[in-house]
Amino acid sequence: AYRVLVAVVGADPHEGGFAERVVGFVAVAPSDDPDSGPGDGTVTELVVADGAEHDGHRSRLIQAAGDTLRADGFDIARWWVPSTSDDLRRELDESGWGPDGAHLELRHPDDESVRIKLVRLHTAIS
């Protein structure tokens, strides 16, 4: 299953707001990596709004991603993470994620100087 989970916060009624607002999301799906098996799921995206990243939303979304993949029958969760995302990688490491040895480099088709290096992390969720 392909799923998107959201983090919401309630508006402060003292400031004239009454509706909840989305402050982040995480998307999960079956892994489409060539070396993946049927029990491998993946986190495809995680975004937390500026100003909300230190309120625990990221860690709750990471936990929810693993729980959702497990509920969908996956045994392993994978995640391609930019090698420069030190804060995210540190948080994932503390949550039991680790590199599995796979890495790749994305290049802009029109500008060879634009490159993004990714490392693949994984964790057992069964």
Side-chain angles (χ1 to χ4, degrees), residues 7-103:
V8 297
V9 295
D12 187 344
H14 300 291
E15 295 181 12
F18 294 98
E20 293 181 328
R21 65 184 175 92
V22 174
V23 294
F25 72 90
V26 64
V28 298
S31 178
D32 62 359
D33 290 340
D35 60 345
S36 292
D40 297 344
T42 189
V43 176
T44 61
E45 189 67 64
L46 171 72
V47 174
V48 177
D50 290 340
E53 60 274 304
H54 300 293
D55 295 334
H57 298 295
R58 183 165 71 179
S59 62
R60 285 190 292 276
L61 286 168
I62 291 168
Q63 182 66 42
D67 291 346
T68 299
L69 288 168
R70 183 181 318 103
D72 284 344
F74 296 104
D75 301 313
I76 301 290
R78 296 178 177 213
W79 194 340
W80 286 100
V81 178
S83 62
T84 56
S85 295
D86 295 336
D87 288 344
L88 176 59
R89 290 179 63 193
R90 186 173 19 262
E91 187 168 349
L92 290 171
D93 181 61
E94 292 169 1
S95 299
W97 292 74
D100 68 1
H103 61 279

Side-chain angles (χ1 to χ4, degrees), residues 94-118:
E94 292 169 1
S95 299
W97 292 74
D100 68 1
H103 61 279
L104 60 88
E105 184 175 83
L106 302 176
R107 297 179 182 172
H108 190 282
D110 299 327
D111 184 352
E112 286 291 317
S113 69
V114 178
R115 298 178 182 184
I116 299 173
K117 294 181 181 182
L118 302 172

